[in-house]
């Protein structure tokens, strides 16, 4: 299960919108990109480049759009053209970071790590702890995707030491918990997921709170603390119903079904899976339907 946009990508976008000076068209490209309106974003980037072919912000946005469209070669070409226009460490750091994102999205994990490491070193050179954290978090995500869970944990721990607020701490704790979970270190996973839950309960969005709650239920179940798992999941299912959060209601049913199956209550598990599938069908959410299938395959 994942949030619709990763917090690392959101953090990167926020820096683009608040720190990174850009022409009007390049700024419009960034905003359209954040809304996943790739045709509009590309149009704005092209307009900016028609005015100034060396507009590095437009080239970077163009590259991000190409990456979002799955056009890795075009993305890297745009980033390389942007790199030729820059001299300072901040710009180099940004280009290395977005290049890493492009390689990661294309499944080229070794190249992604190289780019993220370059971004990390640039962040250190300009003493930007915020972007050091983003680079470590990004490296951890790549290691996690490639099954290198201990390296993911090491990266997440390094990034956690650089957090500046409760939202960042919540993201870091949740990532650390996931790495421990993948390493079958269930007590440690619970410890950090409880911390993540507390951060998101205090300062997070409703999505973050719901996600943290469901993962907490999952980790209680992994530690065979089924009573706590059930109470946690029933609480977030009730909350999701009240808030109109069909996605998290359905996902809560999925994980609760796993708990019921683990305790031998197959009939209730089947009912819960059917409820989850019904929500996905009624909301016309194919991505949710696929996640439900993945979570419950072979369960009953």
């Amino acid at each position: 299960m994942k949030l619709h946009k990763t917090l690392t990508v959101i953090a990167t976008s926020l820096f683009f919108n608040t720190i990174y000076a850009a022409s009007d068209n390049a700024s419009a490209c960034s905003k359209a990109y954040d809304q996943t309106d790739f045709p509009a974003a590309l149009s704005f980037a092209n307009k900016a480049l028609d005015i100034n072919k060396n507009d590095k912000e437009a080239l970077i946005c163009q590259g991000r759009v190409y990456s979002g469209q799955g056009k890795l070669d075009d993305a890297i070409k745009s980033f390389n053209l942007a790199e030729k226009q820059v001299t300072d460490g901040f710009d180099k750091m940004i280009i290395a970071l977005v290049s890493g994102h492009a390689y990661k999205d294309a499944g080229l994990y070794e190249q992604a790590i190289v780019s993220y490491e370059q971004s990390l070193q640039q962040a250190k050179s300009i003493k930007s702890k915020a972007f050091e954290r983003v680079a470590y978090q990004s490296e951890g995500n790549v290691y996690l995707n490639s099954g290198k869970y201990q390296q993911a944990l090491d990266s997440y721990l390094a990034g956690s030491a650089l957090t500046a607020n409760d939202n960042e701490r919540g993201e870091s704790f949740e990532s650390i918990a996931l790495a421990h979970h993948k390493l079958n270190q269930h007590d440690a996973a619970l410890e950090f997921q409880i911390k993540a839950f507390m951060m998101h309960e205090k300062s997070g969005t409703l999505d973050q709170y719901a996600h943290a709650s469901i993962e907490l239920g999952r980790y209680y179940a992994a530690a065979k603390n089924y009573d706590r798992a059930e109470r946690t999941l029933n609480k977030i299912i009730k909350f999701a119903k009240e808030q109109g959060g069909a996605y998290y209601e359905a996902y809560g049913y999925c994980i609760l079904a796993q708990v019921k199956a683990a305790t031998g209550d197959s009939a209730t598990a089947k009912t819960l899976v059917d409820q989850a599938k019904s929500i996905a069908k009624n909301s016309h959410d194919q991505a949710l339907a696929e996640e439900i299938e993945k979570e419950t395959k072979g369960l009953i």
Side-chain angles (χ1 to χ4, degrees):
M1 184 175 106
K2 58 183 181 296
L3 295 174
H4 295 299
K5 294 181 73 174
T6 68
L7 296 178
T8 298
V9 171
I10 292 173
T12 304
S13 297
L14 286 174
F15 277 109
F16 271 107
N17 292 335
T18 60
I19 296 178
Y20 210 53
S23 65
D24 288 345
N25 282 316
S27 179
C29 174
S30 238
K31 290 178 181 177
Y33 172 86
D34 289 342
Q35 296 168 355
T36 65
D37 187 349
F38 294 151
L42 195 57
S43 176
F44 283 123
N46 290 337
K47 287 178 182 178
L49 293 169
D50 285 342
I51 296 169
N52 176 11
K53 68 178 182 180
N54 295 323
D55 185 332
K56 63 180 181 291
E57 292 88 359
L59 286 166
I60 290 171
C61 187
Q62 182 186 62
R64 296 171 81 202
V65 173
Y66 283 141
S67 175
Q69 294 176 327
K71 300 175 182 177
L72 176 64
D73 290 343
D74 290 336
I76 297 302
K77 181 179 178 181
S78 294
F79 295 147
N80 287 341
L81 288 171
E83 189 175 24
K84 292 178 180 179
Q85 311 304 320
V86 307
T87 56
D88 67 274
F90 182 83
D91 288 336
K92 291 179 180 179
M93 175 190 69
I94 289 293
I95 292 170
L97 180 65
V98 294
S99 296
H101 291 342
Y103 283 125
K104 172 183 172 290
D105 290 344
L108 299 176
Y109 296 142
E110 290 184 8
Q111 292 94 320
I113 289 295
V114 170
S115 291
Y116 287 143
E117 189 62 29
Q118 291 170 349
S119 184
L120 175 62
Q121 296 309 315
Q122 289 293 343
K124 288 181 177 180
S125 73
I126 64 172
K127 298 182 175 10
S128 173
K129 289 187 177 181
F131 272 103
E132 278 188 59
R133 189 192 74 83
V134 170
Y136 277 126
Q137 184 74 21
S138 298
E139 286 185 348
N141 293 343
V142 171
Y143 285 132
L144 193 81
N145 286 357
S146 56
K148 298 178 180 179
Y149 302 133
Q150 184 59 52
Q151 287 166 281
L153 178 59
D154 293 342
S155 294
Y156 289 145
L157 287 168
S160 183
L162 300 166
T163 55
N165 55 55
D166 287 343
N167 280 328
E168 291 180 1
R169 281 185 278 276
E171 179 191 18
S172 288
F173 291 152
E174 197 153 42
S175 297
I176 292 167
L178 178 56
H180 278 302
H181 177 67
K182 293 292 187 180
L183 289 164
N184 294 316
Q185 298 168 352
H186 301 308
D187 289 342
L190 263 178
E191 175 190 347
F192 280 96
Q193 190 61 28
I194 289 170
K195 291 179 180 179
F197 171 81
M198 292 173 65
M199 293 297 103
H200 290 318
E201 184 179 40
K202 180 168 64 171
S203 303
T205 66
L206 293 180
D207 274 4
Q208 290 165 352
Y209 169 72
H211 180 272
S213 297
I214 290 174
E215 293 306 292
L216 181 58
R218 185 198 300 274
Y219 298 159
Y220 274 129
K224 301 187 186 307
N225 191 337
Y226 297 121
D227 288 341
R228 292 294 295 271
E230 189 167 343
R231 287 200 298 272
T232 300
L233 292 165
N234 278 326
K235 181 179 177 181
I236 194 58
I237 289 168
K238 180 175 182 291
F239 178 82
K241 282 182 179 179
E242 293 170 349
Q243 297 295 322
Y247 176 89
Y248 292 107
E249 181 186 352
Y251 221 104
Y253 286 140
C254 280
I255 308 305
L256 185 56
Q258 293 177 6
V259 174
K260 291 297 187 180
T263 57
D265 189 350
S266 298
T268 301
K270 182 179 185 307
T271 298
L272 291 166
V273 171
D274 289 343
Q275 285 179 277
K277 289 181 177 179
S278 177
I279 291 172
K281 181 179 179 180
N282 292 337
S283 59
H284 307 289
D285 190 336
Q286 183 59 34
L288 174 59
E290 291 172 1
E291 290 190 67
I292 291 169
E293 189 65 30
K294 181 180 177 181
E295 287 282 4
T296 60
K297 185 177 181 180
L299 185 65
I300 50 178

